[in-house]
PDB file of all heavy atoms in Angstrom:
ATOM      1  N   ARG A 339     -34.662 -48.155 -49.681  1.00 92.00           N
ATOM      2  CA  ARG A 339     -34.313 -48.884 -50.907  1.00 92.00           C
ATOM      3  C   ARG A 339     -34.516 -50.362 -50.626  1.00 92.00           C
ATOM      4  O   ARG A 339     -34.034 -50.844 -49.608  1.00 92.00           O
ATOM      5  CB  ARG A 339     -32.857 -48.663 -51.129  1.00 92.00           C
ATOM      6  CG  ARG A 339     -32.218 -48.604 -52.494  1.00 92.00           C
ATOM      7  CD  ARG A 339     -32.773 -48.128 -53.713  1.00 92.00           C
ATOM      8  NE  ARG A 339     -32.637 -46.751 -54.116  1.00 92.00           N
ATOM      9  CZ  ARG A 339     -31.501 -46.237 -54.691  1.00 92.00           C
ATOM     10  NH1 ARG A 339     -30.473 -46.958 -54.851  1.00 92.00           N
ATOM     11  NH2 ARG A 339     -31.520 -44.999 -55.151  1.00 92.00           N
ATOM     12  N   GLN A 342     -32.620 -56.953 -53.525  1.00 84.00           N
ATOM     13  CA  GLN A 342     -33.017 -58.170 -54.203  1.00 84.00           C
ATOM     14  C   GLN A 342     -33.077 -59.319 -53.206  1.00 84.00           C
ATOM     15  O   GLN A 342     -33.873 -60.268 -53.363  1.00 84.00           O
ATOM     16  CB  GLN A 342     -32.062 -58.439 -55.309  1.00 84.00           C
ATOM     17  CG  GLN A 342     -32.631 -59.293 -56.405  1.00 84.00           C
ATOM     18  CD  GLN A 342     -33.565 -58.595 -57.370  1.00 84.00           C
ATOM     19  OE1 GLN A 342     -34.757 -58.958 -57.360  1.00 84.00           O
ATOM     20  NE2 GLN A 342     -33.129 -57.551 -58.022  1.00 84.00           N
ATOM     21  N   ARG A 350     -22.698 -54.343 -47.970  1.00 92.00           N
ATOM     22  CA  ARG A 350     -23.870 -54.235 -48.774  1.00 92.00           C
ATOM     23  C   ARG A 350     -24.704 -53.092 -48.292  1.00 92.00           C
ATOM     24  O   ARG A 350     -25.251 -52.289 -49.059  1.00 92.00           O
ATOM     25  CB  ARG A 350     -24.637 -55.532 -48.757  1.00 92.00           C
ATOM     26  CG  ARG A 350     -25.666 -55.665 -49.758  1.00 92.00           C
ATOM     27  CD  ARG A 350     -25.491 -56.947 -50.590  1.00 92.00           C
ATOM     28  NE  ARG A 350     -26.487 -57.048 -51.626  1.00 92.00           N
ATOM     29  CZ  ARG A 350     -26.428 -56.296 -52.767  1.00 92.00           C
ATOM     30  NH1 ARG A 350     -25.459 -55.437 -52.914  1.00 92.00           N
ATOM     31  NH2 ARG A 350     -27.338 -56.395 -53.677  1.00 92.00           N
ATOM     32  N   ASP A 385     -27.792 -62.729 -48.004  1.00 87.00           N
ATOM     33  CA  ASP A 385     -26.562 -62.632 -48.881  1.00 87.00           C
ATOM     34  C   ASP A 385     -26.254 -63.923 -49.681  1.00 87.00           C
ATOM     35  O   ASP A 385     -25.215 -64.492 -49.532  1.00 87.00           O
ATOM     36  CB  ASP A 385     -25.330 -62.223 -48.072  1.00 87.00           C
ATOM     37  CG  ASP A 385     -25.577 -60.895 -47.337  1.00 87.00           C
ATOM     38  OD1 ASP A 385     -25.782 -59.923 -48.055  1.00 87.00           O
ATOM     39  OD2 ASP A 385     -25.627 -60.883 -46.097  1.00 87.00           O
ATOM     40  N   PRO A 387     -25.170 -66.108 -52.926  1.00 83.00           N
ATOM     41  CA  PRO A 387     -24.253 -65.802 -54.000  1.00 83.00           C
ATOM     42  C   PRO A 387     -25.029 -65.089 -55.110  1.00 83.00           C
ATOM     43  O   PRO A 387     -26.247 -65.351 -55.335  1.00 83.00           O
ATOM     44  CB  PRO A 387     -23.775 -67.131 -54.435  1.00 83.00           C
ATOM     45  CG  PRO A 387     -24.184 -68.101 -53.423  1.00 83.00           C
ATOM     46  CD  PRO A 387     -25.238 -67.508 -52.595  1.00 83.00           C
ATOM     47  N   ASP A 388     -24.385 -64.198 -55.829  1.00 87.00           N
ATOM     48  CA  ASP A 388     -25.139 -63.318 -56.778  1.00 87.00           C
ATOM     49  C   ASP A 388     -24.465 -63.459 -58.119  1.00 87.00           C
ATOM     50  O   ASP A 388     -23.263 -63.243 -58.339  1.00 87.00           O
ATOM     51  CB  ASP A 388     -25.038 -61.878 -56.234  1.00 87.00           C
ATOM     52  CG  ASP A 388     -25.971 -60.963 -56.983  1.00 87.00           C
ATOM     53  OD1 ASP A 388     -25.862 -60.929 -58.206  1.00 87.00           O
ATOM     54  OD2 ASP A 388     -26.733 -60.309 -56.306  1.00 87.00           O
ATOM     55  N   LEU A 389     -25.289 -63.726 -59.155  1.00 89.00           N
ATOM     56  CA  LEU A 389     -24.817 -63.898 -60.488  1.00 89.00           C
ATOM     57  C   LEU A 389     -24.282 -62.605 -61.125  1.00 89.00           C
ATOM     58  O   LEU A 389     -23.364 -62.662 -61.891  1.00 89.00           O
ATOM     59  CB  LEU A 389     -25.905 -64.472 -61.381  1.00 89.00           C
ATOM     60  CG  LEU A 389     -26.338 -65.864 -61.108  1.00 89.00           C
ATOM     61  CD1 LEU A 389     -27.698 -66.159 -61.785  1.00 89.00           C
ATOM     62  CD2 LEU A 389     -25.267 -66.843 -61.547  1.00 89.00           C
ATOM     63  N   GLU A 391     -22.879 -60.270 -59.367  1.00 84.00           N
ATOM     64  CA  GLU A 391     -21.755 -59.746 -58.601  1.00 84.00           C
ATOM     65  C   GLU A 391     -20.924 -60.883 -58.085  1.00 84.00           C
ATOM     66  O   GLU A 391     -20.966 -61.259 -56.917  1.00 84.00           O
ATOM     67  CB  GLU A 391     -22.368 -58.988 -57.390  1.00 84.00           C
ATOM     68  CG  GLU A 391     -21.886 -57.534 -57.307  1.00 84.00           C
ATOM     69  CD  GLU A 391     -22.669 -56.745 -56.294  1.00 84.00           C
ATOM     70  OE1 GLU A 391     -23.876 -56.723 -56.385  1.00 84.00           O
ATOM     71  OE2 GLU A 391     -22.063 -56.199 -55.332  1.00 84.00           O
ATOM     72  N   ARG A 398     -17.899 -61.057 -48.836  1.00 85.00           N
ATOM     73  CA  ARG A 398     -18.520 -61.584 -47.639  1.00 85.00           C
ATOM     74  C   ARG A 398     -17.443 -62.291 -46.765  1.00 85.00           C
ATOM     75  O   ARG A 398     -17.394 -62.174 -45.577  1.00 85.00           O
ATOM     76  CB  ARG A 398     -19.662 -62.547 -47.971  1.00 85.00           C
ATOM     77  CG  ARG A 398     -20.300 -63.006 -46.665  1.00 85.00           C
ATOM     78  CD  ARG A 398     -21.494 -63.887 -46.895  1.00 85.00           C
ATOM     79  NE  ARG A 398     -21.124 -65.063 -47.705  1.00 85.00           N
ATOM     80  CZ  ARG A 398     -21.979 -65.949 -48.122  1.00 85.00           C
ATOM     81  NH1 ARG A 398     -23.215 -65.760 -47.954  1.00 85.00           N
ATOM     82  NH2 ARG A 398     -21.551 -67.031 -48.793  1.00 85.00           N
TER      83      ARG A 398
ATOM     84  N   SER B 148     -33.784 -57.212 -63.277  1.00 94.00           N
ATOM     85  CA  SER B 148     -33.801 -56.755 -61.879  1.00 94.00           C
ATOM     86  C   SER B 148     -34.650 -55.485 -61.614  1.00 94.00           C
ATOM     87  O   SER B 148     -34.757 -54.687 -62.517  1.00 94.00           O
ATOM     88  CB  SER B 148     -32.372 -56.527 -61.374  1.00 94.00           C
ATOM     89  OG  SER B 148     -32.372 -55.825 -60.194  1.00 94.00           O
ATOM     90  N   GLU B 150     -33.936 -53.798 -58.690  1.00 88.00           N
ATOM     91  CA  GLU B 150     -33.149 -53.204 -57.661  1.00 88.00           C
ATOM     92  C   GLU B 150     -32.539 -51.848 -58.187  1.00 88.00           C
ATOM     93  O   GLU B 150     -31.813 -51.846 -59.186  1.00 88.00           O
ATOM     94  CB  GLU B 150     -32.033 -54.135 -57.250  1.00 88.00           C
ATOM     95  CG  GLU B 150     -31.339 -53.684 -55.944  1.00 88.00           C
ATOM     96  CD  GLU B 150     -30.216 -54.673 -55.682  1.00 88.00           C
ATOM     97  OE1 GLU B 150     -30.035 -55.680 -56.432  1.00 88.00           O
ATOM     98  OE2 GLU B 150     -29.464 -54.467 -54.749  1.00 88.00           O
ATOM     99  N   THR B 152     -30.336 -49.862 -56.815  1.00 86.00           N
ATOM    100  CA  THR B 152     -28.961 -49.628 -56.608  1.00 86.00           C
ATOM    101  C   THR B 152     -28.107 -50.097 -57.761  1.00 86.00           C
ATOM    102  O   THR B 152     -27.153 -49.508 -58.229  1.00 86.00           O
ATOM    103  CB  THR B 152     -28.458 -50.309 -55.238  1.00 86.00           C
ATOM    104  OG1 THR B 152     -29.305 -49.804 -54.264  1.00 86.00           O
ATOM    105  CG2 THR B 152     -27.062 -49.917 -54.934  1.00 86.00           C
ATOM    106  N   ARG B 153     -28.427 -51.320 -58.271  1.00 90.00           N
ATOM    107  CA  ARG B 153     -27.696 -51.796 -59.406  1.00 90.00           C
ATOM    108  C   ARG B 153     -28.548 -51.444 -60.651  1.00 90.00           C
ATOM    109  O   ARG B 153     -29.107 -52.363 -61.289  1.00 90.00           O
ATOM    110  CB  ARG B 153     -27.464 -53.274 -59.227  1.00 90.00           C
ATOM    111  CG  ARG B 153     -26.502 -53.534 -58.009  1.00 90.00           C
ATOM    112  CD  ARG B 153     -26.051 -54.946 -57.950  1.00 90.00           C
ATOM    113  NE  ARG B 153     -27.138 -55.892 -57.652  1.00 90.00           N
ATOM    114  CZ  ARG B 153     -26.976 -57.217 -57.532  1.00 90.00           C
ATOM    115  NH1 ARG B 153     -25.834 -57.736 -57.791  1.00 90.00           N
ATOM    116  NH2 ARG B 153     -27.964 -57.927 -57.182  1.00 90.00           N
ATOM    117  N   GLY B 179     -29.377 -61.274 -60.453  1.00 91.00           N
ATOM    118  CA  GLY B 179     -28.482 -61.830 -59.461  1.00 91.00           C
ATOM    119  C   GLY B 179     -28.796 -63.206 -58.987  1.00 91.00           C
ATOM    120  O   GLY B 179     -28.012 -63.995 -58.641  1.00 91.00           O
ATOM    121  N   VAL B 253     -20.035 -66.115 -64.818  1.00 88.00           N
ATOM    122  CA  VAL B 253     -20.872 -66.819 -63.863  1.00 88.00           C
ATOM    123  C   VAL B 253     -21.646 -68.006 -64.483  1.00 88.00           C
ATOM    124  O   VAL B 253     -22.396 -68.734 -63.894  1.00 88.00           O
ATOM    125  CB  VAL B 253     -21.883 -65.922 -63.205  1.00 88.00           C
ATOM    126  CG1 VAL B 253     -21.211 -64.856 -62.412  1.00 88.00           C
ATOM    127  CG2 VAL B 253     -22.874 -65.259 -64.171  1.00 88.00           C
ATOM    128  N   MET B 369     -29.402 -69.648 -59.472  1.00 93.00           N
ATOM    129  CA  MET B 369     -28.581 -69.755 -58.259  1.00 93.00           C
ATOM    130  C   MET B 369     -29.381 -70.585 -57.254  1.00 93.00           C
ATOM    131  O   MET B 369     -30.582 -70.400 -57.100  1.00 93.00           O
ATOM    132  CB  MET B 369     -28.460 -68.344 -57.639  1.00 93.00           C
ATOM    133  CG  MET B 369     -27.174 -68.076 -57.048  1.00 93.00           C
ATOM    134  SD  MET B 369     -25.752 -68.243 -58.205  1.00 93.00           S
ATOM    135  CE  MET B 369     -24.580 -68.780 -57.076  1.00 93.00           C
ATOM    136  N   ARG B 372     -29.968 -71.899 -50.000  1.00 78.00           N
ATOM    137  CA  ARG B 372     -29.606 -72.887 -48.945  1.00 78.00           C
ATOM    138  C   ARG B 372     -30.971 -73.389 -48.328  1.00 78.00           C
ATOM    139  O   ARG B 372     -31.783 -72.559 -47.942  1.00 78.00           O
ATOM    140  CB  ARG B 372     -28.836 -72.139 -47.836  1.00 78.00           C
ATOM    141  CG  ARG B 372     -27.514 -71.546 -48.342  1.00 78.00           C
ATOM    142  CD  ARG B 372     -26.992 -70.583 -47.283  1.00 78.00           C
ATOM    143  NE  ARG B 372     -26.306 -69.511 -47.979  1.00 78.00           N
ATOM    144  CZ  ARG B 372     -26.161 -68.261 -47.515  1.00 78.00           C
ATOM    145  NH1 ARG B 372     -26.648 -67.962 -46.366  1.00 78.00           N
ATOM    146  NH2 ARG B 372     -25.477 -67.337 -48.207  1.00 78.00           N
TER     147      ARG B 372
END
Side-chain angles (χ1 to χ4, degrees):
Chain A
R339 210 36 94 77
Q342 202 75 243
R350 193 126 184 74
D385 301 298
D388 192 306
L389 291 167
E391 233 169 307
R398 185 177 58 185
Chain B
S148 164
E150 191 184 356
T152 305
R153 296 190 289 177
V253 299
M369 218 60 211
R372 297 167 216 152

